[in-house]
Amino acid sequence: MNLPKKVIHFAWKAAKDMLASKEALRQRHIVVEDGCALCGAPTENILHILWFCAHAKEVWSSSKFSLPFEVGPNWSFLDVMVKLQRSEELRPGLMERFVFVCWGIWKERNVIRTRGRCKLGRITLKNAIGLMDEYQMTNEGPARPATVGPELRKVGLGVLIRDSAGNVITAMSWPLVGPLGALEMEAKAVEIGMRFALDVGIQDAVFESDALEIVNAIQGIVAPCSSILLIVEGIHQLACLFRSCCFSHTKRQGNIPAHILAQFSSSLVSYVAWLETCPSHIEQACFQDISVAPIS
Ligand SMILES: [Zn+2]
């Protein structure tokens, strides 16, 4: 998604349920009066503020914006984002517009609460969309021509699982093809590696990736950019399935066998896995890797 950092940060907090809605404050045992101050609804959670509240409805109804699905009363912001991501192929850019307008509604809601004045819904909408267009023009140049379908990208994924002595337990080469950006593919690679590790019964794992941004996002050092938000969410859920699980960044030169496996996948149409044996084309690199940097 092509959005300013502050809007991405907003979306991240909304998806993690970290915005200060009254419901969230009560869950943190901070006493606040019940209900939505703007429309009097009994519960004020994030999706109420951004979608169901009379104020939000006024904003959305003043646009031609429509979601390709019905938002359920008990949904979270993350539920909406997951659905939107699935719709992205059919309605490219819809998620960006949705997030930007939500950010506008959130900002306006905070102004109303502190100053009591309220812009008309269509003004809030116009300001939010205007800021989005301005941002995208300055960060992207002229609008990209509409594409017929999503751009498919192929990246090679190499997964190598070794025991604490560095011996290869299992290895995999996977040609990953999808309508995803480079960063999303890197995040997806970690997720696939984790699933693979679970499939072969690994309980304690250290996952290494050469994508520093991904590792930092997983570790919570930086807010994940919105395009990988959901994948990082999935990675956190998968991490709970291990007895112990941590992530570390390694330079590509630091994991040559996995890099060879990734390159090897370019000649494949589907994935190949080696169980309890070291593929011959990485044997030498594995041996060198162990002698240079033993895993403790
Ligand atoms: Zn309300």
Side-chain angles (χ1 to χ4, degrees), residues 36 39 48 53:
C36 172
C39 74
H48 173 83
C53 182

Side-chain angles (χ1 to χ4, degrees), residues 196-263:
F196 190 52
L198 284 168
D199 283 349
V200 297
I202 304 291
Q203 292 188 306
D204 303 284
V206 179
F207 291 98
E208 292 182 336
S209 163
D210 58 26
L212 181 62
E213 195 173 343
I214 302 295
V215 174
N216 283 344
I218 294 169
Q219 291 177 330
I221 296 167
V222 296
C225 113
S226 58
S227 62
I228 57 161
L229 187 77
L230 300 174
I231 305 173
V232 170
E233 226 14 81
I235 288 172
H236 285 158
Q237 284 165 13
L238 284 175
C240 301
L241 303 176
F242 290 88
R243 188 167 55 196
S244 73
C245 173
C246 62
F247 300 86
S248 76
H249 172 245
T250 174
K251 292 208 171 99
R252 184 165 290 181
Q253 307 89 290
N255 200 348
I256 291 169
H259 187 51
I260 296 173
L261 286 169
Q263 283 183 327

